[in-house]
mmCIF file with all atom_site columns, all heavy atoms in Angstrom:
data_model
loop_
_atom_site.group_PDB
_atom_site.id
_atom_site.type_symbol
_atom_site.label_atom_id
_atom_site.label_alt_id
_atom_site.label_comp_id
_atom_site.label_asym_id
_atom_site.label_entity_id
_atom_site.label_seq_id
_atom_site.pdbx_PDB_ins_code
_atom_site.Cartn_x
_atom_site.Cartn_y
_atom_site.Cartn_z
_atom_site.occupancy
_atom_site.B_iso_or_equiv
_atom_site.pdbx_formal_charge
_atom_site.auth_seq_id
_atom_site.auth_comp_id
_atom_site.auth_asym_id
_atom_site.auth_atom_id
_atom_site.pdbx_PDB_model_num
ATOM 1  N N   . CYS A 1 119 ? 98.265  97.990  85.244  1.00 84.00 ? 119 CYS A N   1
ATOM 2  C CA  . CYS A 1 119 ? 98.274  97.299  86.536  1.00 84.00 ? 119 CYS A CA  1
ATOM 3  C C   . CYS A 1 119 ? 99.638  96.672  86.815  1.00 84.00 ? 119 CYS A C   1
ATOM 4  O O   . CYS A 1 119 ? 100.146 96.741  87.931  1.00 84.00 ? 119 CYS A O   1
ATOM 5  C CB  . CYS A 1 119 ? 97.185  96.230  86.573  1.00 84.00 ? 119 CYS A CB  1
ATOM 6  S SG  . CYS A 1 119 ? 95.501  96.878  86.582  1.00 84.00 ? 119 CYS A SG  1
ATOM 7  N N   . VAL A 1 120 ? 100.223 96.068  85.789  1.00 84.00 ? 120 VAL A N   1
ATOM 8  C CA  . VAL A 1 120 ? 101.550 95.472  85.958  1.00 84.00 ? 120 VAL A CA  1
ATOM 9  C C   . VAL A 1 120 ? 102.586 96.555  86.251  1.00 84.00 ? 120 VAL A C   1
ATOM 10 O O   . VAL A 1 120 ? 103.462 96.388  87.105  1.00 84.00 ? 120 VAL A O   1
ATOM 11 C CB  . VAL A 1 120 ? 101.930 94.661  84.706  1.00 84.00 ? 120 VAL A CB  1
ATOM 12 C CG1 . VAL A 1 120 ? 103.375 94.166  84.798  1.00 84.00 ? 120 VAL A CG1 1
ATOM 13 C CG2 . VAL A 1 120 ? 100.985 93.484  84.530  1.00 84.00 ? 120 VAL A CG2 1
ATOM 14 N N   . PHE A 1 121 ? 102.479 97.680  85.557  1.00 85.00 ? 121 PHE A N   1
ATOM 15 C CA  . PHE A 1 121 ? 103.426 98.775  85.775  1.00 85.00 ? 121 PHE A CA  1
ATOM 16 C C   . PHE A 1 121 ? 103.311 99.346  87.183  1.00 85.00 ? 121 PHE A C   1
ATOM 17 O O   . PHE A 1 121 ? 104.315 99.743  87.784  1.00 85.00 ? 121 PHE A O   1
ATOM 18 C CB  . PHE A 1 121 ? 103.189 99.876  84.743  1.00 85.00 ? 121 PHE A CB  1
ATOM 19 C CG  . PHE A 1 121 ? 104.069 101.082 84.930  1.00 85.00 ? 121 PHE A CG  1
ATOM 20 C CD1 . PHE A 1 121 ? 105.420 101.034 84.618  1.00 85.00 ? 121 PHE A CD1 1
ATOM 21 C CD2 . PHE A 1 121 ? 103.541 102.265 85.437  1.00 85.00 ? 121 PHE A CD2 1
ATOM 22 C CE1 . PHE A 1 121 ? 106.232 102.146 84.798  1.00 85.00 ? 121 PHE A CE1 1
ATOM 23 C CE2 . PHE A 1 121 ? 104.338 103.381 85.624  1.00 85.00 ? 121 PHE A CE2 1
ATOM 24 C CZ  . PHE A 1 121 ? 105.691 103.324 85.301  1.00 85.00 ? 121 PHE A CZ  1
ATOM 25 N N   . SER A 1 122 ? 102.086 99.386  87.712  1.00 81.00 ? 122 SER A N   1
ATOM 26 C CA  . SER A 1 122 ? 101.905 99.941  89.061  1.00 81.00 ? 122 SER A CA  1
ATOM 27 C C   . SER A 1 122 ? 102.595 99.101  90.127  1.00 81.00 ? 122 SER A C   1
ATOM 28 O O   . SER A 1 122 ? 102.859 99.592  91.232  1.00 81.00 ? 122 SER A O   1
ATOM 29 C CB  . SER A 1 122 ? 100.411 100.044 89.379  1.00 81.00 ? 122 SER A CB  1
ATOM 30 O OG  . SER A 1 122 ? 99.820  98.752  89.487  1.00 81.00 ? 122 SER A OG  1
ATOM 31 N N   . MET A 1 123 ? 102.897 97.839  89.827  1.00 80.00 ? 123 MET A N   1
ATOM 32 C CA  . MET A 1 123 ? 103.556 96.969  90.803  1.00 80.00 ? 123 MET A CA  1
ATOM 33 C C   . MET A 1 123 ? 104.990 97.392  91.059  1.00 80.00 ? 123 MET A C   1
ATOM 34 O O   . MET A 1 123 ? 105.545 97.098  92.125  1.00 80.00 ? 123 MET A O   1
ATOM 35 C CB  . MET A 1 123 ? 103.519 95.517  90.309  1.00 80.00 ? 123 MET A CB  1
ATOM 36 C CG  . MET A 1 123 ? 102.131 94.920  90.231  1.00 80.00 ? 123 MET A CG  1
ATOM 37 S SD  . MET A 1 123 ? 102.083 93.350  89.317  1.00 80.00 ? 123 MET A SD  1
ATOM 38 C CE  . MET A 1 123 ? 103.322 92.409  90.204  1.00 80.00 ? 123 MET A CE  1
ATOM 39 N N   . VAL A 1 124 ? 105.618 98.071  90.098  1.00 80.00 ? 124 VAL A N   1
ATOM 40 C CA  . VAL A 1 124 ? 107.031 98.446  90.240  1.00 80.00 ? 124 VAL A CA  1
ATOM 41 C C   . VAL A 1 124 ? 107.209 99.920  90.585  1.00 80.00 ? 124 VAL A C   1
ATOM 42 O O   . VAL A 1 124 ? 108.347 100.382 90.722  1.00 80.00 ? 124 VAL A O   1
ATOM 43 C CB  . VAL A 1 124 ? 107.803 98.115  88.947  1.00 80.00 ? 124 VAL A CB  1
ATOM 44 C CG1 . VAL A 1 124 ? 107.759 96.629  88.668  1.00 80.00 ? 124 VAL A CG1 1
ATOM 45 C CG2 . VAL A 1 124 ? 107.247 98.895  87.762  1.00 80.00 ? 124 VAL A CG2 1
ATOM 46 N N   . VAL A 1 125 ? 106.112 100.653 90.716  1.00 78.00 ? 125 VAL A N   1
ATOM 47 C CA  . VAL A 1 125 ? 106.210 102.071 91.062  1.00 78.00 ? 125 VAL A CA  1
ATOM 48 C C   . VAL A 1 125 ? 106.286 102.206 92.578  1.00 78.00 ? 125 VAL A C   1
ATOM 49 O O   . VAL A 1 125 ? 105.366 101.803 93.286  1.00 78.00 ? 125 VAL A O   1
ATOM 50 C CB  . VAL A 1 125 ? 104.996 102.856 90.523  1.00 78.00 ? 125 VAL A CB  1
ATOM 51 C CG1 . VAL A 1 125 ? 105.068 104.318 90.958  1.00 78.00 ? 125 VAL A CG1 1
ATOM 52 C CG2 . VAL A 1 125 ? 104.937 102.754 89.009  1.00 78.00 ? 125 VAL A CG2 1
ATOM 53 N N   . PRO A 1 126 ? 107.370 102.769 93.119  1.00 75.00 ? 126 PRO A N   1
ATOM 54 C CA  . PRO A 1 126 ? 107.464 102.924 94.579  1.00 75.00 ? 126 PRO A CA  1
ATOM 55 C C   . PRO A 1 126 ? 106.475 103.962 95.101  1.00 75.00 ? 126 PRO A C   1
ATOM 56 O O   . PRO A 1 126 ? 106.122 104.907 94.376  1.00 75.00 ? 126 PRO A O   1
ATOM 57 C CB  . PRO A 1 126 ? 108.914 103.368 94.795  1.00 75.00 ? 126 PRO A CB  1
ATOM 58 C CG  . PRO A 1 126 ? 109.328 103.973 93.505  1.00 75.00 ? 126 PRO A CG  1
ATOM 59 C CD  . PRO A 1 126 ? 108.579 103.248 92.430  1.00 75.00 ? 126 PRO A CD  1
ATOM 60 N N   . PHE A 1 127 ? 106.065 103.764 96.335  1.00 70.00 ? 127 PHE A N   1
ATOM 61 C CA  . PHE A 1 127 ? 105.070 104.663 96.926  1.00 70.00 ? 127 PHE A CA  1
ATOM 62 C C   . PHE A 1 127 ? 105.586 106.092 97.018  1.00 70.00 ? 127 PHE A C   1
ATOM 63 O O   . PHE A 1 127 ? 104.823 107.056 96.886  1.00 70.00 ? 127 PHE A O   1
ATOM 64 C CB  . PHE A 1 127 ? 104.690 104.152 98.319  1.00 70.00 ? 127 PHE A CB  1
ATOM 65 C CG  . PHE A 1 127 ? 103.791 105.082 99.079  1.00 70.00 ? 127 PHE A CG  1
ATOM 66 C CD1 . PHE A 1 127 ? 102.455 105.191 98.739  1.00 70.00 ? 127 PHE A CD1 1
ATOM 67 C CD2 . PHE A 1 127 ? 104.282 105.848 100.122 1.00 70.00 ? 127 PHE A CD2 1
ATOM 68 C CE1 . PHE A 1 127 ? 101.615 106.044 99.435  1.00 70.00 ? 127 PHE A CE1 1
ATOM 69 C CE2 . PHE A 1 127 ? 103.449 106.696 100.822 1.00 70.00 ? 127 PHE A CE2 1
ATOM 70 C CZ  . PHE A 1 127 ? 102.109 106.797 100.489 1.00 70.00 ? 127 PHE A CZ  1
#
Side-chain angles (χ1 to χ4, degrees):
C119 292
V120 173
F121 177 73
S122 67
M123 294 168 54
V124 298
V125 177
F127 174 74

